[in-house]
Amino acid sequence: MTMVESKRPSSADVARQIKDLLKPKVEERADAARLDELRRLFAQQNINFPSSSDSIKKWKAFIKKKFEAFIKQLIERMHRKTAIRTFWGVIAATPQYTSGQNEKHPFVSLALLKQWLSTIPGKLEEDRSLRVMVESEFLHQYVDVQYFAYIALAELAKDQYCRDSTDQSKAEVLYQLLNMLPRAETQRELDNGVYLFAPPQTEEAIEENFMGNDEDSSDDDDEDEKAVQDDEASSSDDDEEENKKVKSKLRPPRVFQYQQIKYHRKAMCHAWLAVLRLPLPTSGLKHALQVLPTRVLSYVPNPLRFSEFLVQAYNHDGVIPILALDGLFLLMIECGLEYPRFYTSLYGLIQPTLFYVKYRIRFFELLIKCLTRNEMLPAHIVAAFCKRLLRSCLNAPPSGCLFALALTSNLLRKHPECACLIHRSLSSKMEDKFDAKTDDPKAARALESSLWELNALEKHYHPAVATMASSVGKEDSKAPLHDLEDFLRHTYKSLFEQERKRLDKKRKKVPLTFSKPKALFLETD
């Protein structure tokens, strides 16, 4: 029995087949199968691999031209999930190669990844299945893809900013994609991660700058490097312990940038800065301000580069400043950001309407940090905040009143120089010198006033508010400070349930009459 060796198709046959497959089909399934077959054909041609022969260069030029037509057809069909998967298959089968003189190593094609990310349909939040597919099948699987995705999103955001800096819909899609990208926490996580294109197992050092030259951020690169050195010091400690147990020859060398945690952090920083320059819709801006302190500022090498964005958000109207407060305070405490108007802006946020907004608990938590952790606050600033809080309580719900009273009590005990607010009494002929209209705590003249609002709150309809108002400023010096966390979660419902349970315990035996009857009917009946 003779074996017939299968012959490889000639270039003419491949060219003819590609031309036939580039003709669209009406039926969707047949069209999807046609595109997938084209993907398989182009994958066999190794398009981006360098070549020196003239005949091969001509063939490569022909293939690249048809490949561009194929990509154009995929982009036109990106509203279909089959086209998204096929395009991803093209990225996985069409890598770029390093430009060194020695052995060529493949890596993710940044150009194709940019096209794929830029053409993913919007409304990822609405189409849950599409979001799960993009996350689980593509963005969350490969470490190198995550690194190049950050670079691609940064470049797309910069291009969008130069092209049209007012398009909120495109900015929202880019932000959704950026928010879907995971992050590597440690160098060990990168070493043990899965790569779409496995790094080379060689000791040869290869310098390949995938991030390119960024004109906007080139001035800050030196600062990034200094900040990264601190991060590397902490991660290197873990690596030293690992090196003691595992021989260095058993661990692959970190050759490329996408294998090093410091470059992942830089890429993430550049991507977030570029996207945040775009005009995000209100919903996207709110979400970004909520995730920045925990997910971004604690990870990027130089968090101070986000200060301009946070300061601009802090100067907005509505609830946006409340959300920006967390990140701004973090930069002031941990990064040494100087913002002299911080407490002035914080003072202006305290209004009666604040006690009814959705993010009031978040604001109250930050207010506790800002007022109780800073022991260097002058007395006139503390007095102004106490007056502003209690003045707002006159139009606030009982839950907000309880929190404001507890915070005021703690502040008065931590700052004894403000005790004059309690002991000073205003007669009917005496004018209150506190300026409630100004948003500047220095100009409010709070120390010249008194907390007469406590007297009004003692007559509050809710007994818990009235009781606490009568105790503010009269606590024993040995009494512990109020645990403000207990007052943050109070609502109308929780206070009602608390009062109902208290009355239930008090009225276990309900009296039905004052005297025990001697008979069913009395003589007078």
Side-chain angles (χ1 to χ4, degrees):
M1 182 177 179
T2 61
M3 297 182 63
V4 180
E5 187 177 7
S6 59
K7 294 183 179 180
R8 187 176 181 180
S10 63
S11 299
D13 294 335
V14 173
R16 193 179 306 108
Q17 191 176 4
I18 289 177
K19 290 180 180 179
D20 293 338
L21 289 173
L22 281 174
K23 298 176 182 178
K25 295 186 178 181
V26 178
E27 205 273 322
E28 185 173 335
R29 285 189 177 182
D31 195 61
R34 173 186 67 86
L35 292 173
D36 192 60
E37 181 63 20
L38 272 173
R39 175 197 62 78
R40 187 186 62 80
L41 277 177
F42 283 115
Q44 296 174 353
Q45 304 307 314
N46 208 358
I47 298 174
N48 293 323
F49 194 82
S51 58
S52 56
S53 172
D54 292 337
S55 59
I56 296 180
K57 286 183 179 179
K58 291 181 180 179
W59 172 249
K60 294 282 188 181
F62 168 79
I63 290 296
K64 284 188 176 181
K65 182 178 179 180
K66 298 304 178 182
F67 182 75
E68 291 173 359
F70 167 54
I71 295 297
K72 185 177 180 181
Q73 290 187 9
L74 278 177
I75 291 175
E76 294 172 352
R77 293 160 175 79
M78 284 293 282
H79 58 280
R80 306 175 186 171
K81 293 181 181 180
T82 55
I84 296 177
R85 282 196 172 98
T86 302
F87 205 149
W88 180 252
V90 171
I91 296 174
T94 315
Q96 290 290 116
Y97 290 88
T98 54
S99 56
Q101 296 293 331
N102 299 325
E103 183 182 356
K104 307 296 183 181
H105 299 290
F107 61 90
V108 178
S109 173
L110 186 59
L112 288 177
L113 189 59
K114 282 179 62 176
Q115 287 182 303
W116 183 73
L117 290 171
S118 64
T119 53
I120 288 181
K123 309 300 181 183
L124 289 171
E125 296 295 335
E126 298 178 5
D127 193 344
R128 184 65 182 173
S129 61
L130 175 61
R131 180 186 177 91
V132 171
M133 183 187 76
V134 173
E135 284 181 341
S136 60
E137 297 184 17
F138 311 134
L139 297 180
H140 284 201
Q141 282 197 15
Y142 306 104
V143 174
D144 51 344
V145 171
Q146 295 163 16
Y147 171 78
F148 285 103
Y150 277 124
I151 299 176
L153 287 174
E155 294 184 4
L156 288 173
K158 291 170 187 174
D159 294 343
Q160 180 63 27
Y161 183 80
C162 297
R163 188 184 311 112
D164 184 6
S165 59
T166 61
D167 188 357
Q168 289 190 346
S169 59
K170 190 63 178 177
E172 184 177 14
V173 174
L174 290 176
Y175 174 74
Q176 290 175 1
L177 290 170
L178 177 61
N179 197 48
M180 289 163 58
L181 282 174
R183 69 180 193 186
E185 298 290 344
T186 61
Q187 181 62 56
R188 186 176 302 176
E189 187 175 340
L190 288 183
D191 293 338
N192 299 329
V194 179
Y195 291 84
L196 182 61
F197 298 105
Q201 305 294 320
T202 176
E203 296 294 338
E204 175 189 1
I206 301 175
E207 290 294 334
E208 192 78 20
N209 186 11
F210 299 112
M211 299 183 67
N213 295 322
D214 186 0
E215 296 179 359
D216 297 333
S217 60
S218 59
D219 296 336
D220 301 310
D221 282 344
D222 294 338
E223 298 180 4
D224 284 347
E225 290 295 339
K226 293 178 181 178
V228 165
Q229 289 175 2
D230 298 334
D231 295 333
E232 285 183 319
S234 59
S235 62
S236 63
D237 294 339
D238 298 336
D239 291 340
E240 288 179 4
E241 296 179 1
E242 182 183 358
N243 290 337
K244 292 179 181 178
K245 300 178 181 179
V246 183
K247 297 293 184 180
S248 60
K249 62 181 181 180
L250 299 179
R251 189 180 62 184
R254 298 161 192 162
V255 177
F256 294 117
Q257 290 180 359
Y258 58 78
Q259 295 177 264
Q260 304 177 44
I261 190 67
K262 66 176 183 179
Y263 288 108
H264 275 256
R265 293 180 177 178
K266 287 183 65 174
M268 180 179 177
C269 181
H270 291 170
W272 275 91
L273 288 171
V275 172
L276 291 179
R277 289 179 63 189
L278 300 176
L280 293 173
T282 304
S283 59
L285 181 59
K286 289 180 180 179
H287 188 272
L289 291 171
Q290 292 182 69
V291 302
L292 270 178
T294 55
R295 185 181 173 191
V296 181
L297 297 182
S298 59
Y299 184 79
V300 296
N302 190 4
L304 284 175
R305 296 180 64 181
F306 292 84
S307 59
E308 182 179 356
F309 168 76
L310 291 170
V311 169
Q312 291 178 355
Y314 197 50
N315 294 329
H316 271 250
D317 297 327
V319 299
I320 299 297
I322 298 176
L323 300 176
L325 181 63
D326 194 1
L328 199 57
F329 186 70
L330 179 67
L331 293 183
M332 292 176 61
I333 297 299
E334 297 187 3
C335 303
L337 174 67
E338 295 183 4
Y339 184 49
R341 288 187 52 82
F342 177 78
Y343 281 95
T344 302
S345 302
L346 179 64
Y347 181 80
L349 292 176
I350 302 177
Q351 301 288 345
T353 54
L354 175 68
F355 290 83
Y356 297 91
V357 299
K358 178 181 178 182
Y359 302 102
R360 63 184 180 277
I361 295 178
R362 183 185 182 92
F363 176 78
F364 289 155
E365 290 174 344
L366 297 171
L367 188 64
I368 295 172
K369 295 179 183 179
C370 299
L371 295 181
T372 60
R373 292 186 181 181
N374 190 352
E375 298 181 357
M376 303 300 294
L377 281 178
H380 66 278
I381 299 294
V382 177
F385 274 95
C386 291
K387 282 287 293 184
R388 187 88 163 195
L389 282 169
L390 295 184
R391 184 65 62 89
S392 300
C393 283
L394 299 179
N395 296 315
S399 57
C401 291
L402 290 173
F403 168 78
L405 287 168
L407 179 57
T408 301
S409 174
N410 287 358
L411 290 175
L412 291 175
R413 282 188 275 177
K414 292 186 68 174
H415 299 270
E417 59 272 18
C418 296
C420 58
L421 296 174
I422 296 293
H423 301 298
R424 182 185 295 127
S425 60
L426 295 176
S427 63
S428 58
K429 298 180 180 180
M430 190 175 181
E431 181 183 359
D432 188 3
K433 296 184 179 181
F434 175 69
D435 187 358
K437 295 182 180 180
T438 182
D439 287 336
D440 186 0
K442 297 179 182 178
R445 302 176 66 182
L447 276 179
E448 303 177 33
S449 178
S450 70
L451 296 181
W452 59 263
E453 293 87 357
L454 290 174
N455 190 22
L457 291 173
E458 289 177 8
K459 302 175 177 61
H460 198 278
Y461 71 89
H462 197 284
V465 176
T467 302
M468 178 165 282
S470 62
S471 67
V472 174
K474 303 174 185 178
E475 299 89 352
D476 186 3
S477 58
K478 297 182 180 179
L481 297 176
H482 293 289
D483 186 1
L484 298 176
E485 294 293 331
D486 297 338
F487 295 89
L488 286 175
R489 310 299 172 183
H490 279 318
T491 60
Y492 273 118
K493 184 177 180 181
S494 65
L495 291 176
F496 180 82
E497 290 296 325
Q498 183 178 347
E499 190 69 16
R500 184 183 63 81
K501 292 178 181 179
R502 186 182 68 83
L503 292 176
D504 288 344
K505 293 179 180 179
K506 187 177 180 180
R507 299 174 180 175
K508 288 184 178 181
K509 296 181 180 180
V510 180
L512 300 178
T513 183
F514 292 100
S515 59
K516 186 176 180 180
K518 296 179 180 179
L520 183 59
F521 298 101
L522 300 178
E523 295 179 357
T524 56
D525 290 344

